[in-house]
Amino acid sequence: MSIQRIEVGPRMSQAVVCGGLVYTAGVVALRAPGASVAEQTTDILGRIDELLAAAGTDRTKLLTATIWLADIAGFSEMNGVWDAWVAPGNTPVRACVEAKLAAPQFTVEIQVTAAL
């Protein structure tokens, strides 16, 4: 079984393809640090689109999503962006929890798994 690593770094890869699946790392809004929950979510989902495309798939093939919010009060704001982005009829299983994130400028982190 082959393993393809996308955007390999010294600590982690941004995505890994194996066994017909693509797994992303937790994605934060590197292009929108300190922005609103909606802006960070938009940035993250755009980045996820890029990673899925690099792996040869897209959001219509999402299987799972895990979302971490620094403050659960941003749940509705994040969902507004998520609901517009996710492919109708192809919604993944999903968990969303409040958690302290690695840096204070990030309020959202999302990790997904998708089929090829």
Side-chain angles (χ1 to χ4, degrees):
M1 182 178 304
S2 68
I3 299 173
Q4 174 192 1
R5 298 177 195 285
I6 298 170
E7 297 184 22
V8 178
R11 179 170 292 145
M12 63 186 201
S13 297
Q14 293 303 304
V16 173
V17 180
C18 183
L21 299 174
V22 57
Y23 307 88
T24 69
V27 179
V28 295
L30 292 177
R31 298 176 286 207
S36 71
V37 168
E39 291 168 318
Q40 287 198 22
T41 303
T42 298
D43 179 60
I44 291 165
L45 296 177
R47 181 72 177 118
I48 288 172
D49 280 333
E50 293 167 4
L51 291 168
L52 294 176
T57 192
D58 60 53
R59 69 180 93 154
T60 66
K61 300 207 173 106
L62 288 178
L63 301 173
T64 68
T66 303
I67 302 169
W68 296 271
L69 296 172
D71 184 346
I72 202 69
F75 186 70
S76 292
E77 187 177 352
M78 178 277 301
N79 272 331
V81 176
W82 173 271
D83 292 345
W85 175 82
V86 73
N90 295 294
T91 52
V93 297
R94 189 184 99 166
C96 182
V97 299
E98 180 179 80
K100 185 172 182 174
L101 301 183
Q105 67 268 30
F106 300 121
T107 57
V108 182
E109 184 169 345
I110 302 174
Q111 183 276 330
V112 301
T113 302
L116 292 177

